[in-house]
Amino acid sequence: MNWIGITFLSAGFFAVISFVDKFVLEKKIKDHRGMTIYAAIVGLVIGSLLWLVTGRPLLSLIDAMIVIFTGMLTIWSMALYYMAIMDDDVSTVIVFFQVTPVMVLILSVVFLGETLSHWQLIGFVLVLASVISVSLSGNEGIFSFTRSLKLILIVDFMLAVSAVLIKFTINNNSFLGILCYESLGIGFGGACLYFGFSSVRSSFKKSYLLIGRNVFLILLLNEGFYVFAKGLMFYAFSIGPTALVSAVGSTQVFFGFFFGAVLTFFLPTIFKEDIRRKELFRKTIAACVMVFGIWLAHSR
């Protein structure tokens, strides 16, 4: 499979993962604070297994510390992400996530000395305009800076910092080695949340006692899919052109619209995305502009 198929597969997995997260949070656990610990447990387990299976790759001390820290940033950002999907449609949150590539390039200019072309600046404007468009209230037609948008913008920044830090290590290490250590960092970051915040410990213990075995297995499987999807995206970047991989990866927004519409239509008591024709049309136009803007932002 070439990088295009791999990127599409990764984008589809990421969209599915978000809907499963939404279902588990709203219908089963009903408290976002404990969800982060499940993700951390799976990250630690999968990272350890990958490290053993791939021949126990060793990174230099500096590289290992950087990659582990990026994993910690990832799990801390997921804590905010879980809060956001409790407040808003999954498809809308997915759109907000697409600001991350823009922030990556801005940070690359500041810290890596990269330069921006006029076309890249136009790409930035298109992406931000798309986010603002999706943030418009469908009933009032005014810009609504919702809590979910605020949270995801913070998440975007944290993920962008993580991506820039990874750039310092990616050329000297295999993508599997990077994935192993980042997954370990996810586990360590979760441990910091668990031991640092009593509310997180209480929520996790309560949910662990209340949820059934099936829900627990769904959580483990879903977090495993997250690591798998991220691995696919890492691999796509290692074999494909960055600009095109980023653009194809941003088609996750279309997967979000499609899955949201299908799930709401067939399972309306479980999923309640806004699938009014006017709303879907507005989001689809914004998504098309966003994909084009991301492609421009990563072009030279």
Side-chain angles (χ1 to χ4, degrees):
M1 186 182 296
N2 60 24
W3 65 266
I4 297 178
I6 292 172
T7 307
F8 271 126
L9 186 61
S10 176
F13 265 109
F14 276 126
V16 171
I17 288 164
S18 294
F19 282 100
V20 175
D21 287 337
K22 177 84 167 181
F23 164 72
V24 173
L25 274 170
E26 284 194 340
K27 304 300 180 181
K28 300 300 179 181
I29 294 181
K30 301 179 181 180
D31 190 336
H32 61 84
R33 292 169 296 183
M35 279 284 288
T36 313
I37 306 304
Y38 292 104
I41 292 172
V42 176
L44 184 61
V45 171
I46 291 180
S48 300
L49 290 176
L50 277 176
W51 187 72
L52 292 173
V53 171
T54 56
R56 293 178 290 182
L58 295 177
L59 276 61
S60 68
L61 179 61
I62 296 298
D63 285 355
M65 291 176 64
I66 290 174
V67 177
I68 288 174
F69 180 65
T70 64
M72 296 172 72
L73 281 178
T74 297
I75 194 65
W76 295 339
S77 69
M78 287 175 69
L80 301 179
Y81 151 74
Y82 290 137
M83 292 174 64
I85 61 172
M86 290 286 287
D87 291 348
D88 216 333
D89 289 349
V90 174
S91 58
T92 299
V93 170
I94 289 175
V95 170
F96 295 160
F97 264 124
Q98 307 315 309
V99 177
T100 299
V102 173
M103 290 188 175
V104 169
L105 286 177
I106 293 174
L107 292 176
S108 296
V109 171
V110 176
F111 295 104
L112 302 180
E114 297 185 6
T115 58
L116 299 178
S117 67
H118 294 303
W119 288 113
Q120 287 177 311
L121 291 174
I122 293 173
F124 290 163
V125 173
L126 291 176
V127 172
L128 294 177
S130 300
V131 171
I132 292 174
S133 174
V134 173
S135 301
L136 291 174
S137 170
N139 296 322
E140 302 175 6
I142 59 175
F143 182 72
S144 177
F145 205 65
T146 61
R147 188 176 82 144
S148 64
L149 176 57
K150 295 176 185 177
L151 290 171
I152 295 302
L153 287 178
I154 297 173
V155 171
D156 289 335
F157 177 75
M158 295 174 74
L159 294 179
V161 171
S162 177
V164 170
L165 289 174
I166 285 290
K167 284 189 176 183
F168 287 106
T169 64
I170 195 69
N171 293 328
N172 299 322
N173 304 282
S174 68
F175 85 94
L176 282 175
I178 296 292
L179 185 60
C180 291
Y181 280 78
E182 194 205 31
S183 297
L184 292 173
I186 288 175
F188 295 153
C192 292
L193 292 176
Y194 183 85
F195 292 108
F197 297 91
S198 59
S199 60
V200 173
R201 287 197 304 275
S202 175
S203 175
F204 174 72
K205 291 176 181 178
K206 182 179 179 180
S207 67
Y208 182 78
L209 294 174
L210 292 177
I211 65 174
R213 180 182 300 176
N214 290 339
V215 176
F216 186 71
L217 290 176
I218 290 173
L219 284 169
L220 293 180
L221 183 63
N222 200 45
E223 298 305 331
F225 281 155
Y226 173 79
V227 175
F228 177 69
K230 192 156 191 176
L232 288 176
M233 188 59 71
F234 277 178
Y235 184 59
F237 275 116
S238 71
I239 64 175
T242 301
L244 294 180
V245 171
S246 296
V248 174
S250 65
T251 58
Q252 180 186 347
V253 296
F254 296 108
F255 284 107
F257 298 157
F258 175 74
F259 293 147
V262 171
L263 291 171
T264 301
F265 183 79
F266 288 103
L267 300 170
T269 59
I270 300 177
F271 296 96
K272 296 180 180 180
E273 297 278 305
D274 190 343
I275 59 173
R276 291 173 298 170
R277 182 177 301 178
K278 178 181 178 181
E279 195 67 14
L280 287 176
F281 178 77
R282 181 167 66 90
K283 287 183 178 180
T284 300
I285 294 299
C288 290
V289 173
M290 176 174 286
V291 171
F292 181 63
I294 290 174
W295 178 75
L296 283 180
H298 282 82
S299 64
R300 288 289 181 181

